[in-house]
Amino acid sequence: MLAGRLIRHPFRLLLCLTLGLILVGCSSDSGDGSTYTVKRGDTLYRISRATGTSVSDLARLNNLSPPYTIEIGQRLKTNGSAGTSKSGKPKGSTSTAKVVPSSAVPQSSWPPVGQRCWRWPTSGKVILPYSTADGGNKGIDIAGSRGQPVYAAGAGKVVYVGNQLRGYGNLIMIKHSEDYITAYAHNDKMMVNNGQSVKIGQQIATMGSSDADTVKLHFQIRYRATAIDPLRYLPPQGSKPKC
C-alpha cells in the first residue's frame, strides 16, 4: 500500500526514500525522544533508522505534503517508541542493525527483463554504474556533450520538472504506470512541462551539468518506489528495443 501511495506522489518517492531521490536533510534528537530537529545532510531514511519510525509514519505524523520541503531547524515528530543514543543509533541497537524502508523491493523481486519496453535516454559511455551499496549510485551516469539530446525512455506522463532536489540539478520525472517512474537529472535545457504526455523516444531535454561537476545524464528506473539497475532492462546501446 505504501509503495502505491509513493508512486502516486512522485515527490514523496524521491524526497522521502533513499536515492535519489534526497532532502535538505534531517537529524539530531531534540532530547525528548519523540521529536527530531532538521539539520543539513541527513534524510528521512536516516531518521527512520535512528528512531524506529517508518518513513511513511514520519510523513504522516508531520503532515508532509508536496513538495515535501523540510527546513533546517524544523522539529519532526516521531513515534517515540525507540529513543536514540548520543551516537544517533536507536537505543539497544548494535552497529550491524539495519532498518530497510517498508516500500523497498528486494532484488530477487525486481520485475523480469522484457516486462516493459525501454530505450536508452541518450548515447554515451556509462561512467558510473548502478550500485546496491548504502549511499551507492541508484541509477547510471552517462557521459556526453552539452546540448546532446535526452529522450524519454518510455511513454508516459511528466510528473516533475524542476530543480528543487539538491544533487539532481534540472530534473525531469516521467510516470509510466502505477509501478514505474524514470528520472533524468543534470539537464541543461528542459523541453517538457509538468503534466505533459510523452512518447517513447521523444526528446525531453538537452544534456548539461546542472548541480554536477561534469556534463552527464543521471538516469534512474524506479519500480514500486525502488531504484533498480537500468542496465538490466535497457537494450544493448545503439539498438532499438525488441518490443
Side-chain angles (χ1 to χ4, degrees):
M1 184 177 293
L2 172 60
R5 292 200 302 270
L6 289 169
I7 291 294
R8 289 193 294 271
H9 299 284
F11 284 103
R12 184 172 297 174
L13 183 152
L14 278 182
L15 289 172
C16 297
L17 289 177
T18 64
L19 75 74
L21 276 78
I22 292 178
L23 288 168
V24 181
C26 336
S27 190
S28 179
D29 190 354
S30 66
D32 61 8
S34 61
T35 62
Y36 256 65
T37 302
V38 175
K39 292 188 180 296
R40 186 180 300 276
D42 285 318
T43 64
L44 284 185
Y45 175 56
R46 290 180 183 175
I47 289 187
S48 174
R49 293 184 65 178
T51 65
T53 306
S54 69
V55 171
S56 59
D57 280 348
L58 286 171
R60 177 181 56 80
L61 289 169
N62 294 282
N63 297 316
L64 299 180
S65 58
Y68 304 105
T69 301
I70 292 180
E71 302 292 339
I72 295 174
Q74 179 181 348
R75 293 167 70 100
L76 296 179
K77 297 178 182 178
T78 70
N79 281 339
S81 57
T84 59
S85 65
K86 291 182 179 179
S87 66
K89 297 183 178 66
K91 290 180 179 178
S93 70
T94 67
S95 59
T96 59
K98 183 177 182 180
V99 177
V100 178
S102 58
S103 62
V105 177
Q107 192 166 352
S108 60
S109 299
W110 285 6
V113 174
Q115 184 182 79
R116 288 193 64 87
C117 185
W118 302 108
R119 65 153 288 168
W120 277 80
T122 194
S123 59
K125 180 181 179 181
V126 175
I127 54 175
L128 189 62
Y130 174 90
S131 171
T132 57
D134 287 345
N137 195 36
K138 298 311 175 189
I140 56 174
D141 290 2
I142 307 170
S145 58
R146 189 175 304 278
Q148 182 174 318
V150 175
Y151 305 102
K157 183 177 181 180
V158 178
V159 291
Y160 179 81
V161 178
N163 56 13
Q164 288 80 26
L165 303 184
R166 187 181 62 184
Y168 290 91
N170 293 331
L171 172 68
I172 294 172
M173 296 169 58
I174 299 175
K175 180 178 179 180
H176 305 280
S177 69
E178 288 302 308
D179 288 336
Y180 289 97
I181 282 181
T182 53
Y184 313 74
H186 308 306
N187 300 299
D188 185 7
K189 181 181 179 181
M190 298 193 284
M191 303 171 65
V192 291
N193 299 311
N194 196 32
Q196 180 178 338
S197 294
V198 296
K199 299 178 180 179
I200 185 172
Q202 179 178 334
Q203 185 173 358
I204 59 174
T206 60
M207 192 182 292
S209 58
S210 54
D211 215 355
D213 54 2
T214 59
V215 175
K216 62 183 179 181
L217 173 69
H218 175 73
F219 173 67
Q220 292 187 8
I221 298 177
R222 286 186 169 259
Y223 174 71
R224 296 180 181 174
T226 295
I228 57 179
D229 186 359
L231 292 180
R232 184 172 177 175
Y233 298 96
L234 292 170
Q237 192 165 182
S239 65
K240 295 183 179 180
K242 295 180 180 180
C243 53

